[in-house]
Amino acid sequence: MSITSATASELLAKMNSGEISSEEITSACLDEISRRDGSINAFLSVQQEAALEKAREVDRKRKAGKPLGKLAGLPVALKDNICSEGVTTTCASKMLEHFVPPYDAHIVEQLKAADAVLIGKTNLDEFAMGSSTENSAFKTTTNPWNTAYAAGGSSGGSAAAVSAGFAPLALGSDTGGSIRQPASFCGVVGLKPTYGRVSRYGLVAFASSLDQIGPFARDVTDAALILGTIAGKDRRDTTSLDAAVPEYTSTLEQPLKNLKVGYIELLHEEGLHAEVKEATLRALDVYKSLGAEMVPITLPHAKYCVATYYIIAPSEASSNLARYDGVHYGYRAPHFENMIDMYAASRGEAFGDEVKRRIMLGTYALSSGYYDAYYLKALKVRRLIRNDFEQAFQSVDIIATPVTPTPAFTIGELVDDPLAMYLADIFTTSANLSGIPGISIPAGMSKNNLPIGLQLLAPPLEEERLLRAARMFERETDWHLKRPV
Amino acid sequence: MSVSLSQDDVLKVASLSRLKLSEAEVNSLGQQMGSVLKYIAMLDELNTDAIEPMAHAIEISNVFREDELQTSLPREKALSNAPQTDGNYFLVPAIL
């Protein structure tokens, strides 16, 4: 296996045995980026010099036998809505085109402490609002399996970077599926942890009660490895949870005994693609063959998830994005009549269509006369959605579902139909609304040679169970070994 | 629940949102918001009278910490991304 297609664990083993250096790995990734990112468009910026410098530092430390962090010498890509001190963080928006954060996000501190090599900042839908990166103000990321297709979104750049061989690991954020959906489209592992498992300090806020940072990796082991380095309480994010972080990698190879897998009856009428349905049913058969018990469950309020999500997320976004006022940072319009006009002109000129749409929807839902009918109603339905999961997890350990109704769609296919794009989030938003962890793992290929993912869900803070269950499937299958040609 | 937005509605929400929109944007947003609101109206099927609203999925409250002195962002760093500054303050257009 070549350097750029190897897993992080394989690369770590090779560095530890002296077979390869971090500088060689980092150079190989940088070469691959300069050779192919012109057509993939995964990166908004590449920190070539800083990455090579860090790689050499790790190599020196390793040679001298000094203590090293858990990710020592491994290139990691960061979604460009995660603040990194001194490195432009644009959120793929003209609003923040020249924004250079004066501090590191909590997870960036953690990655630096783990001796990771931060290689570059990846493309996304503007402010993480979208499912295809087509809402990026700068470029559209293509699917490494076929560049006519979308990489997914909003963390499409991070998913494509791991899939294309640009970095063995990447970080993204997931507000309604923005890690799991692109992971599924690009054929990599994507994990959204429990709400609060990872500090959001330094993640540019979209919808604060739903946002969560998580990893992309080439297999489950690597996802466990990086989750262990970024999870944990951080006093700067008061919603981060004060719960012990298990050694996820140490239990990963132990299959779960008497596993009960919950599944929902899948209907074609819900716009579910036949090949996605087949892949999901095949995955259930894999668990059955391992002795797991299949338990049919119902989530009576699942069909209300997208509607609930598209009230709550835009409402929180309209409030969070009020900070872009052309005063403290970000774009200021060159011409305006007065203070209020300066705000409106700056925001009108620098925000893209989808961001404006969501600010408008959210402002509408929160405005006088509509608050009870929309926002308050959605918060109540949100509780019903979470109650469904609590009920289901009384009788099952994990739940298996598709990640998306279809394999990757083509670039341009849904971009003019916002509602159709929103409906593609039907299987993913529920985990954000109810705060539970979810993972997307490779579980099939379509006739068009595009990856299909399987989503597993677990109760809050049960990432260990989730990863072990995912690893059980991975050991029996070879979907995770496939790489785009 | 309204299912389509008039031009006046759109302009009112745009003003609350502090967004200056072109005429074309006003028209397209009216249509697009209308179709999303129509879809969202499915929540009306549910009787939620007895349900407590849930703002956060993992419900925690009163997160306390010690009141300790810490260094904050130095002024020049805090001002480093400002569109207009005199080195001490953020500068804005005259308000009065």
Side-chain angles (χ1 to χ4, degrees):
Chain A
M1 198 163 260
S2 75
I3 296 176
T4 53
S5 63
T7 66
S9 319
E10 288 166 349
L11 294 170
L12 268 181
K14 284 186 176 180
M15 282 191 281
N16 285 330
S17 69
E19 202 179 317
I20 196 169
S21 69
S22 172
E23 187 177 1
E24 285 171 285
I25 294 169
T26 305
S27 298
C29 289
L30 289 167
D31 287 349
E32 200 68 3
I33 292 168
S34 63
R35 201 163 67 80
R36 291 174 49 231
D37 202 36
S39 67
I40 304 291
N41 288 315
F43 284 93
L44 289 173
S45 67
V46 177
Q47 282 74 56
Q48 177 159 338
E49 287 313 310
L52 285 170
E53 199 178 305
K54 176 70 186 179
R56 290 185 203 111
E57 181 201 317
V58 171
D59 287 338
R60 281 194 300 274
K61 276 163 80 175
R62 189 172 261 123
K63 224 172 194 173
K66 289 188 180 157
L68 287 166
K70 280 186 182 171
L71 303 176
L74 291 172
V76 179
L78 292 175
K79 187 177 183 180
D80 206 24
N81 62 349
I82 297 171
C83 287
S84 41
E85 185 175 359
V87 178
T88 311
T89 300
T90 67
C91 288
S93 179
K94 282 183 191 154
M95 180 60 84
L96 292 178
E97 188 168 3
H98 306 293
F99 176 66
V100 181
Y103 61 89
D104 276 331
H106 176 74
I107 65 140
V108 174
E109 291 176 354
Q110 302 292 97
L111 292 172
K112 285 180 176 174
D115 288 314
V117 173
L118 301 179
I119 197 164
K121 307 293 294 278
T122 60
N123 193 28
L124 62 151
D125 288 290
E126 184 178 5
F127 285 102
M129 297 178 191
S131 308
S132 66
T133 77
E134 287 165 290
N135 298 329
S136 166
F138 307 119
K139 49 169 74 165
T140 296
T141 304
T142 62
N143 193 311
W145 290 85
N146 183 334
T147 54
Y149 287 82
S154 67
S155 313
S158 287
V162 172
S163 169
F166 300 158
L169 298 168
L171 270 298
S173 63
D174 189 315
T175 305
S178 282
I179 290 174
R180 291 160 287 155
Q181 184 255 23
S184 174
F185 280 12
C186 293
V188 297
V189 174
L191 171 66
K192 182 204 90 74
T194 305
Y195 180 79
R197 178 71 290 189
V198 177
S199 167
R200 292 177 293 110
Y201 178 76
L203 171 69
V204 177
F206 158 17
S208 303
S209 82
L210 305 165
D211 296 341
Q212 186 59 204
I213 292 172
F216 290 92
R218 293 185 184 134
D219 66 13
V220 175
T221 306
D222 287 2
L225 175 72
I226 190 165
L227 179 65
T229 63
I230 60 170
K233 174 75 181 165
D234 166 30
R235 47 175 287 283
R236 296 166 299 185
D237 172 3
T238 54
T239 62
S240 65
L241 297 171
D242 197 4
V245 180
E247 278 289 336
Y248 297 112
T249 49
S250 68
T251 52
L252 203 57
E253 299 299 332
Q254 300 166 16
L256 293 155
K257 293 198 180 86
N258 307 318
L259 177 67
K260 288 185 182 148
V261 179
Y263 68 95
I264 42 175
E265 187 79 42
L266 294 169
L267 304 169
H268 279 304
E269 298 87 81
E270 287 158 1
L272 188 66
H273 195 281
E275 289 180 277
V276 174
K277 183 175 176 176
E278 277 166 35
T280 310
L281 294 176
R282 265 203 320 269
L284 293 176
D285 285 340
V286 169
Y287 281 107
K288 218 181 286 176
S289 74
L290 292 168
E293 186 185 338
M294 298 297 122
V295 183
I297 56 159
T298 54
L299 299 168
H301 300 94
K303 66 171 179 166
Y304 301 105
C305 284
V306 172
T308 305
Y309 178 83
Y310 279 96
I311 297 173
I312 293 175
S315 295
E316 294 187 18
S318 72
S319 171
N320 272 325
L321 271 65
R323 74 191 63 186
Y324 303 103
D325 56 1
V327 174
H328 301 93
Y329 40 77
Y331 177 85
R332 180 185 288 190
H335 307 291
F336 47 84
E337 286 163 17
N338 53 44
M339 185 77 178
I340 300 287
D341 192 47
M342 189 274 280
Y343 294 149
S346 301
R347 292 160 63 79
E349 288 168 28
F351 286 142
D353 291 344
E354 184 63 28
V355 172
K356 286 178 187 168
R357 200 144 48 222
R358 299 215 192 174
I359 291 174
M360 292 283 287
L361 269 173
T363 305
Y364 182 80
L366 292 173
S367 64
S368 173
Y370 296 103
Y371 180 89
D372 285 2
Y374 290 108
Y375 186 65
L376 197 64
K377 180 85 184 184
L379 293 187
K380 291 177 170 188
V381 180
R382 184 176 185 182
R383 184 175 296 280
L384 294 174
I385 291 164
R386 193 192 61 172
N387 290 351
D388 282 354
F389 279 107
E390 278 181 359
Q391 185 77 32
F393 283 125
Q394 306 258 321
S395 53
V396 301
D397 301 307
I398 58 162
I399 296 170
T401 77
V403 184
T404 55
T406 65
F409 43 81
T410 55
I411 289 166
E413 193 175 329
L414 299 180
V415 74
D416 295 324
D417 189 350
L419 186 58
M421 188 77 96
Y422 297 171
L423 288 173
D425 298 340
I426 189 108
F427 294 110
T428 48
T429 51
S430 59
N432 303 81
L433 290 166
S434 48
I436 62 175
I439 193 169
S440 171
I441 52 175
M445 295 296 292
S446 75
K447 285 197 290 281
N448 292 335
N449 201 38
L450 292 164
I452 297 173
L454 173 75
Q455 176 173 246
L456 301 177
L457 302 168
L461 288 173
E462 295 291 350
E463 281 82 0
E464 189 192 11
R465 184 194 302 173
L466 190 66
L467 289 160
R468 283 168 73 185
R471 179 65 189 134
M472 284 169 76
F473 178 84
E474 194 181 67
R475 285 164 73 115
E476 300 299 313
T477 57
D478 59 2
W479 304 113
H480 64 290
L481 300 176
K482 297 192 183 302
R483 303 282 185 266
V485 182
Chain B
M1 246 186 229
S2 157
V3 292
S4 64
L5 257 68
S6 70
Q7 198 166 351
D8 283 351
D9 287 337
V10 174
L11 288 171
K12 185 185 164 209
V13 178
S15 162
L16 289 171
S17 304
R18 299 284 185 264
L19 282 173
K20 191 181 265 189
L21 302 176
S22 69
E23 204 171 311
E25 284 177 320
V26 171
N27 290 332
S28 63
L29 276 167
Q31 280 173 12
Q32 290 165 343
M33 289 172 70
S35 74
V36 174
L37 292 172
K38 190 176 165 191
Y39 176 76
I40 282 169
M42 72 155 72
L43 298 188
D44 290 348
E45 295 165 21
L46 293 168
N47 182 338
T48 53
D49 292 348
I51 311 297
E52 277 289 299
M54 188 179 83
H56 267 266
I58 310 293
E59 288 166 301
I60 46 174
S61 58
N62 294 342
V63 179
F64 294 117
R65 61 168 174 79
E66 292 306 309
D67 186 17
E68 292 163 339
L69 269 183
Q70 290 158 41
T71 51
S72 52
L73 212 54
R75 183 187 296 252
E76 70 271 16
K77 275 194 166 187
L79 291 168
S80 63
N81 284 286
Q84 206 186 353
T85 168
D86 64 358
N88 290 310
Y89 298 99
F90 296 102
L91 295 187
V92 296
I95 294 169
L96 292 174

